[in-house]
Amino acid sequence: MKKLKFALIGCGRISANHLKALIDNYQDAELVSVSDLIKDKAKQRVNEYVSQAKDKNISFKKPKIFIDYKKMLQEEDIDVCSICTESGYHAEIALNCLTQKKHILVEKPMAMSLLDADRMIREAEKNKVKLSVCYQNRFNPTIQKLHQAIEEGRFGKIIAVTARVLWNRNKNYYNQAKWRGTWKLDGGCLMNQCTHNIDLLQWIIGEEIDTVFGQTGNYLHPYNETEDYGSIIVRFKNKAIGNIEGTVCVYPQNLEETLTILGEKGTVVIGGLALNKILVWDFTDNKDSLEEVQEECNLEIENIYGKGHSPLYNNFINSIKKDTIPLIDGYEGKKSLSIILMAYKSQKYSRVINYNEGLNISNEDFIGIF
Ligand SMILES: NC(=O)c1ccc[n+]([C@@H]2O[C@H](COP(=O)([O-])OP(=O)(O)OC[C@H]3O[C@@H](n4cnc5c(N)ncnc54)[C@H](O)[C@@H]3O)[C@@H](O)[C@H]2O)c1
């Protein structure tokens, strides 16, 4: 099969990881065009792609540059669009691409409302193309090992999973771009920083959401519209409890990012900069030791984005080639979004939200909540 032709829409910070993933998957994929409203950003990514391809002796054509992604869709022969714009633009851009039968890889969160997430899922199905969401930490060797232990039933009954993201983000961080800390384009620390961990928590528990209770607030970031601290309790249909604590208020610097799983027959804690290190691994079956799994799975990484984009691209490319379901399809991508929006709704109305009543909500419903 010939290489899949990729286009990049949005050439900001995270797009560098998409470029690297395309280079790592060069046997099956090539970058044919890029677009950004700011032409220099698009040019920079093209230059990086060219130099990385040359360094690795990969044959390539120089990708074309566009400011208007709609023009790019009209003029270029594209199989897949990777959407890396501000979160609030994901749905509109994805829907435009899906109606033109492009496969879509969209950054997290997939959309800002469940209605939009559903539209994207429906449009992908209607046009018989694939849709996947960038929750790349699912591909960390640590998380894969944990998921394997779940699948093998090593935990027995799962009692609770706790996700903690205790970080520091100061004014300089929010000043980097106007969209950060807004309801329309970003969401708060739960939607932006914590979304990966919420995705992992629900994936590990692997059950439908029953109820959500959330308390959030803006304590130290008065220039933002959204929360800088959030605490969520999720009850799943199998009675397991998910505890989520996410904040960007930690003094004086990042403190912790961990995932703790308490099971009847096992306890695991995963930590590190991006859940790349196993800290505790204890099972009654004694099949493997902490040292063994650390040796097998711990990964050194350069930044909080980790190394998951390359295996995620590999999974997505294979799903297109073999017409299978990608690990994180639209339905999967929607689950963490549901939990976050239900938590916002719970905060707004000061009560527990049942899954069925939580469906018609959007990030924009929370403008002015604080
Ligand atoms: N998976 C991860 O770990 C991870 C990490 C960081 C960010 N993200 C997500 O990636 C997205 C982008 O974040 P970022 O930090 O790279 O943002 P950024 O502000 O650095 O980049 C966004 C870019 O999109 C461009 N853009 C906006 N509208 C466009 C359009 N219509 N056509 C073409 N380009 C357009 C902007 O000009 C900008 O260059 C967000 O949704 C964020 O949540 C994911």
Side-chain angles (χ1 to χ4, degrees):
M1 194 179 168
K2 63 184 177 54
K3 288 187 182 194
L4 289 170
K5 295 180 192 306
F6 275 74
L8 206 55
I9 303 178
C11 296
R13 284 155 50 121
I14 197 60
S15 65
N17 291 52
H18 289 252
L19 269 194
K20 166 97 176 39
L22 283 165
I23 293 282
D24 288 344
N25 286 283
Y26 75 93
Q27 280 167 328
D28 299 304
E30 60 180 329
L31 183 65
V32 295
S33 50
V34 303
S35 77
D36 198 290
L37 301 177
I38 303 166
K39 198 171 180 187
D40 281 349
K41 286 192 173 189
K43 270 190 190 162
Q44 190 190 333
R45 287 292 175 249
V46 166
N47 291 341
E48 282 167 20
Y49 182 75
V50 167
S51 94
Q52 287 181 31
K54 279 183 182 162
D55 282 353
K56 300 212 163 168
N57 272 331
I58 296 168
S59 67
F60 68 94
K61 276 196 201 132
K62 192 170 176 181
K64 283 202 184 158
I65 293 174
F66 290 83
I67 294 172
D68 180 353
Y69 81 90
K70 288 184 186 163
K71 192 161 180 264
M72 177 176 84
L73 292 178
Q74 275 168 10
E75 292 183 3
E76 292 297 298
D77 179 15
I78 296 163
D79 301 307
V80 191
C81 293
S82 298
I83 301 175
C84 305
T85 64
E86 294 85 332
S87 309
Y89 299 136
H90 290 175
E92 185 195 327
I93 295 176
L95 287 166
N96 278 328
C97 298
L98 287 166
T99 49
Q100 300 199 38
K101 301 194 186 304
K102 310 299 176 198
H103 304 285
I104 293 293
L105 192 54
V106 61
E107 264 301 342
K108 59 76 188 166
M110 64 187 290
M112 307 307 273
S113 73
L114 296 176
L115 206 64
D116 275 344
D118 284 337
R119 280 193 190 117
M120 289 161 71
I121 292 168
R122 267 202 312 274
E123 203 57 37
E125 287 174 351
K126 193 172 120 193
N127 290 292
K128 299 189 171 35
V129 288
K130 307 285 178 192
L131 167 63
S132 183
V133 187
C134 286
Y135 285 113
Q136 75 274 6
N137 287 343
R138 282 203 197 184
F139 292 91
N140 290 356
T142 49
I143 300 294
Q144 290 280 318
K145 187 79 182 169
L146 167 63
H147 201 255
Q148 188 189 342
I150 301 267
E151 300 266 274
E152 289 169 357
R154 292 180 66 187
F155 282 94
K157 187 188 289 183
I158 300 275
I159 299 152
V161 177
T162 300
R164 278 206 186 86
V165 180
L166 308 183
W167 283 352
N168 174 295
R169 292 289 179 275
N170 59 24
K171 198 166 183 185
N172 290 340
Y173 169 85
Y174 289 99
N175 278 347
Q176 280 171 15
K178 279 192 180 146
W179 64 279
R180 295 183 189 281
T182 63
W183 283 114
K184 196 168 181 299
L185 296 180
D186 189 10
C189 60
L190 293 171
M191 188 74 100
N192 188 324
Q193 282 79 19
C194 223
T195 175
H196 286 292
N197 309 66
I198 296 172
D199 171 64
L200 293 175
L201 177 147
Q202 70 77 26
W203 188 46
I204 285 158
I205 292 180
E207 260 285 337
E208 281 180 39
I209 302 160
D210 190 6
T211 59
V212 172
F213 181 69
Q215 288 289 290
T216 67
N218 183 324
Y219 296 88
L220 301 180
H221 299 77
Y223 39 85
N224 285 350
E225 295 172 354
T226 53
E227 84 282 354
D228 59 15
Y229 184 94
S231 178
I232 312 179
I233 299 175
V234 190
R235 183 105 187 174
F236 290 85
K237 290 245 160 85
N238 64 354
K239 307 252 182 285
I241 288 181
N243 298 297
I244 296 148
E245 185 186 27
T247 185
V248 284
C249 286
V250 176
Y251 173 83
Q253 62 201 14
N254 290 356
L255 181 67
E256 177 180 345
E257 180 180 15
T258 52
L259 200 61
T260 302
I261 298 91
L262 302 184
E264 182 187 8
K265 297 177 185 170
T267 301
V268 168
V269 182
I270 306 212
L273 202 56
L275 300 173
N276 51 312
K277 297 200 166 158
I278 298 177
L279 307 180
V280 175
W281 187 268
D282 226 331
F283 287 98
T284 54
D285 64 20
N286 283 321
K287 269 211 262 181
D288 37 23
S289 70
L290 174 64
E291 292 71 25
E292 278 166 358
V293 293
Q294 284 177 330
E295 172 79 23
E296 183 189 334
C297 303
N298 285 9
L299 202 64
E300 292 309 321
I301 55 173
E302 288 113 41
N303 56 43
I304 55 163
Y305 304 155
K307 290 186 171 167
H309 278 84
S310 293
L312 182 139
Y313 263 71
N314 189 263
N315 175 268
F316 189 51
I317 288 165
N318 279 328
S319 81
I320 296 170
K321 282 170 59 180
K322 297 178 184 156
D323 194 15
T324 53
I325 299 171
L327 180 64
I328 310 151
D329 65 0
Y331 293 99
E332 283 296 303
K334 193 183 137 186
K335 289 177 180 169
S336 47
L337 182 64
S338 304
I339 292 174
I340 296 163
L341 288 172
M342 288 168 73
Y344 288 159
K345 188 169 178 177
S346 169
Q347 157 75 26
K348 185 167 177 174
Y349 298 109
S350 285
R351 63 177 176 84
V352 172
I353 306 295
N354 289 307
Y355 185 67
N356 290 340
E357 63 164 323
L359 294 179
N360 268 335
I361 21 174
S362 146
N363 221 27
E364 288 189 60
D365 293 339
F366 308 104
I367 290 171
I369 186 178
F370 301 122

